[in-house]
Amino acid sequence: MTDLLTTAAERAAGGPPVPTFSVLSGHQVQQALTGRERELVALVEDTYRLHGAGDSVNPPSYFLRFPDRPNSRIIALPASIGGSVHVDGLKWISSFPDNVRSGLPRASAVLILNDPETGYPFACLESSIISATRTAASAALAADWLSRGRGARPARIGFFGTGLIARYIHTFLAGTGWEFDAIGVHDVSADSAEGFRGYLRQSGAGGQVTVHDRAEDLVRDSDLVVFATVAGKPHVTDPAWFDHNPLVLHVSLRDLAPEVLLGAANFVDDVEHCLKADTSPHLVEQLTGDRDFLNGTLNDVLQGRAAPPTDRPVIFSPFGLGVLDLAVGKYVYDEVSRAGSLRLIDDFFHDLRRYG
């Protein structure tokens, strides 16, 4: 990654190489990603395959919690990915649910990219958009592969939770060719549900849009159910809601009681990561004492080692891997760099002489 170094000879003859550092704003990030849904889903698929092949390092996430603010947290996701991406880094993402009361999004984030040759950070990117993008691309990829072989593609989708992530998931589904006859919406906040319905109208989404007052009605009326809430513990407890064997994208990870998962086929993005921090799959493991309820990972499906059944609900529970953030973040960096729009901070690194 020698392109990340300028030489002091370019500034003053004879000096050592000087690492560069850039800051990429949310506007630049969004410009680089908008309208690229198919390309980004393919990038996420490639990243899952690299991770499954062992060409990555993805340690456990670290949760910073606060005794005086128990519903808030900040998470560090360090990672390294090989292949053509070849970058190290860290996502630092906060979740403060009370933000929504004042109109702010729940989550905010930055992503640091590090040069794998020198270890020097070379970019800091606004990352709430990157995080939402990789989550939505992962969900769209899972919806595609987990619906294969199960008959007709789902035509009735239900969104349980209607925030930023739900919007991005719908955008990525629509951007990768999904069409729906009916779209269901449910949220504990009536204003949020109506706001999401307004977004659907503005986006030109086809199909009848219905706001469901009851969560059960949303689930029963949907072939594809997207859970994108801020729930901290299970609140959907009746397996009978899923008797019609829908495909469930359990993106928020803590909505479903163990009984629901035990009646379904379960796929995750990474076993060790997902079965932690009292996620719904982790609660199943604690209840049963084993992991036999898992049918495999999404990469197992990509590789043909596992297939979703037709006689049970299929649930995808993705913890969210730091390697996905790195892949999307490096994609953004490369796009902005190619456009000549990097904002370099020339004097970010100061004392670069080892002996002064």
Side-chain angles (χ1 to χ4, degrees), residues 9 36 159 273:
R36 308 284 183 84
F159 289 92
H273 283 79

Side-chain angles (χ1 to χ4, degrees), residues 42-65:
L43 173 64
V44 165
E45 178 175 343
D46 289 344
T47 305
Y48 274 128
R49 292 180 185 275
L50 284 171
H51 180 64
D55 196 4
S56 67
V57 182
N58 205 105
S61 303
Y62 184 84
F63 286 70
L64 176 61
R65 299 187 183 276

Side-chain angles (χ1 to χ4, degrees), residues 18 30-31 65 100-101 107 113 118 131 167-168 172 180 199 206 217 238 242 270 300 306:
V18 178
Q30 190 164 48
Q31 278 191 317
R65 299 187 183 276
V100 297
R101 297 177 185 172
L113 300 180
T118 67
S131 186
R167 174 161 55 88
Y168 268 75
F172 268 77
F180 299 102
Y199 150 75
D217 295 337
D238 189 351
F242 302 86
D270 183 283
D300 289 330

Side-chain angles (χ1 to χ4, degrees), residues 2 6 24 49 53 69 131 138 167 180 202 207 213 247 290 300 352:
T2 54
T6 59
L24 284 73
R49 292 180 185 275
R69 293 159 283 161
S131 186
S138 170
R167 174 161 55 88
F180 299 102
Q202 292 174 4
D213 294 329
L247 172 58
D290 58 49
D300 289 330
L352 292 170

Side-chain angles (χ1 to χ4, degrees), residues 24-283:
L24 284 73
S25 70
H27 177 68
Q28 289 178 297
V29 171
Q30 190 164 48
Q31 278 191 317
L33 296 175
T34 298
R36 308 284 183 84
E37 288 85 11
R38 291 184 184 274
E39 193 172 346
L40 291 164
V41 170
L43 173 64
V44 165
E45 178 175 343
D46 289 344
T47 305
Y48 274 128
R49 292 180 185 275
L50 284 171
H51 180 64
D55 196 4
S56 67
V57 182
N58 205 105
S61 303
Y62 184 84
F63 286 70
L64 176 61
R65 299 187 183 276
F66 314 98
D68 60 329
R69 293 159 283 161
N71 68 333
S72 299
R73 63 183 187 267
I74 308 179
I75 311 173
L77 287 81
S80 175
I81 185 70
S84 61
V85 180
H86 196 211
V87 71
D88 309 329
L90 171 78
K91 180 172 76 169
W92 181 240
I93 183 166
S94 68
S95 174
F96 279 54
D98 290 346
N99 283 352
V100 297
R101 297 177 185 172
S102 60
L104 280 175
R106 170 187 60 87
S108 59
V110 294
L111 178 69
I112 301 295
L113 300 180
N114 292 76
D115 181 351
E117 294 181 8
T118 67
Y120 271 81
F122 63 87
C124 175
L125 300 82
E126 196 286 330
S127 197
S128 65
I129 297 168
I130 290 171
S131 186
T133 294
R134 63 85 151 147
T135 299
S138 170
L141 179 70
D144 178 17
W145 280 85
L146 292 174
S147 62
R148 297 183 184 188
R150 300 188 82 230
R153 219 182 211 199
R156 301 177 301 159
I157 189 171
F159 289 92
F160 197 133
T162 56
L164 180 84
I165 298 300
R167 174 161 55 88
Y168 268 75
I169 291 174
H170 176 266
T171 297
F172 268 77
L173 289 170
T176 51
W178 286 76
E179 296 180 354
F180 299 102
D181 298 332
I183 302 176
V185 176
H186 174 76
D187 198 290
V188 294
S189 165
D191 289 343
S192 294
E194 285 300 324
F196 191 71
R197 174 153 64 176
Y199 150 75
L200 291 171
R201 287 173 179 159
Q202 292 174 4
S203 72
Q208 178 68 37
V209 177
T210 303
V211 175
H212 293 275
D213 294 329
R214 297 200 322 152
E216 179 179 357
D217 295 337
L218 174 91
V219 174
R220 289 187 181 275
D221 287 351
S222 304
D223 306 314
L224 174 60
V225 186
V226 178
F227 283 92
T229 75
V230 295
K233 58 183 179 181
H235 54 97
V236 175
T237 60
D238 189 351
W241 291 11
F242 302 86
D243 281 348
H244 57 302
N245 299 332
L247 172 58
V248 179
L249 303 178
H250 186 209
V251 175
S252 37
L253 276 177
R254 294 174 177 84
D255 301 275
L256 304 178
E259 292 76 14
V260 175
L261 271 68
L262 286 170
N266 292 280
F267 297 88
V268 297
D269 54 354
D270 183 283
V271 175
E272 296 302 327
H273 283 79
C274 196
L275 272 66
K276 282 185 172 68
D278 289 334
T279 64
S280 294
H282 188 207
L283 295 180

